[in-house]
Amino acid sequence: MNQQEFIRVISPFKDKLFRMAKRLLVSTEEAEDATQEVLVKLWKNNHVLSNYNSVEAFAMTMTKNYCLDQLKSKRASNLQIVHNNYSDGTASAQRQLEDKDSWNWVEKIMEDLPEQQRLILQLRDVEEYEFSEIAKIMDMNETAVRVALSRARKIIREQLVKKHNYGIQFNG
C-alpha cells in the first residue's frame, strides 16, 4: 500500500480516532499525540491492513488500547469524557441554558460510570458505531455490549430524574 492509498483508507475515520482519544485523555495535546502514534503504527503495518475486515475498527481498538495504556502509566484513576458539541442553534436562550445544564449533569454522571460502560456509551451514542463494530473494538460479544449500554443509559436516566425532581414533592 502506497502513501496515497493509505491516506485514502485512513482519512474517513481519523477524526473519530482523535475524538475517542480526546474523550479518554481529556487533553487536546495528548489526544493529538495519541492519534499520531496510532497513525504511525498503522503506517508501519500498512502491508497487513488489507487483512482486516474493518481497518476503522482495528484503528479504533488501537486508539482505545493506546489511550488506556497512557492512562495506566500515569496512574490515572478517573477517565473523563467531555462532549462539547451539544447545542441546538434554533432553541431559545432559556432552552439552550437548560440543555447545557442537563448535558453538564450527564457528563458528571458519565464520569462515575465504569470505564467499559463509559466507552460503550461514547462509541454508540456519540460516535454512532454499530453494535457489531463496538463488539470488535471492545472485544466483547454484541449481547454484552447491549447490556452494558442499557445499564449505562439506565444509570444516567435515573440520576437525571433524581436531579430534576429534587425538591419536588408529590402528593399522592
Side-chain angles (χ1 to χ4, degrees):
M1 175 182 295
N2 67 33
Q3 187 177 0
Q4 289 170 332
E5 291 172 31
F6 178 78
I7 291 169
R8 182 185 53 76
V9 169
I10 300 298
S11 288
F13 59 83
K14 71 177 185 189
D15 289 343
K16 287 183 181 180
L17 299 178
F18 171 77
R19 286 193 303 269
M20 175 178 245
K22 177 93 165 81
R23 302 261 187 281
L24 289 168
L25 300 173
V26 180
S27 162
T28 299
E29 293 79 18
E30 288 184 44
E32 288 170 348
D33 290 347
T35 305
Q36 193 67 35
E37 283 295 320
V38 169
L39 291 176
V40 167
K41 286 180 184 179
L42 286 170
W43 172 249
K44 286 180 179 176
N45 294 308
N46 73 43
H47 58 282
V48 295
L49 292 181
S50 60
N51 297 343
Y52 291 94
N53 291 334
S54 173
V55 175
E56 181 177 342
F58 177 62
M60 290 296 284
T61 301
M62 284 178 67
T63 302
K64 176 196 74 166
N65 291 337
Y66 180 86
C67 292
L68 293 177
D69 288 346
Q70 290 297 105
L71 289 166
K72 285 176 190 167
S73 72
K74 291 180 177 181
R75 301 186 195 290
S77 60
N78 292 330
L79 299 179
Q80 290 185 348
I81 296 178
V82 181
H83 181 51
N84 296 322
N85 300 326
Y86 184 82
S87 67
D88 179 1
T90 61
S92 69
Q94 176 66 29
R95 182 66 191 170
Q96 286 179 349
L97 191 61
E98 290 170 3
D99 288 348
K100 184 170 175 38
D101 182 54
S102 289
W103 185 253
N104 287 339
W105 276 100
V106 169
E107 286 177 337
K108 286 178 182 146
I109 296 165
M110 286 175 68
E111 288 173 8
D112 294 332
L113 289 175
E115 176 183 306
Q116 185 182 69
Q117 289 180 1
R118 191 173 33 240
L119 287 172
I120 290 170
L121 196 65
Q122 165 74 23
L123 290 168
R124 180 67 182 169
D125 292 347
V126 178
E127 301 296 340
E128 299 180 346
Y129 276 86
E130 296 298 322
F131 286 107
S132 60
E133 295 171 308
I134 296 169
K136 285 180 195 170
I137 291 168
M138 299 297 294
D139 193 26
M140 299 168 65
N141 68 48
E142 283 187 50
T143 304
V145 169
R146 290 176 190 273
V147 168
L149 181 63
S150 175
R151 288 180 181 160
R153 287 176 175 166
K154 181 180 179 189
I155 291 167
I156 290 172
R157 186 171 39 253
E158 287 171 351
Q159 293 295 319
L160 279 177
V161 166
K162 189 186 302 181
K163 182 258 179 206
H164 285 295
N165 289 338
Y166 178 76
I168 299 173
Q169 295 183 8
F170 294 100
N171 297 326

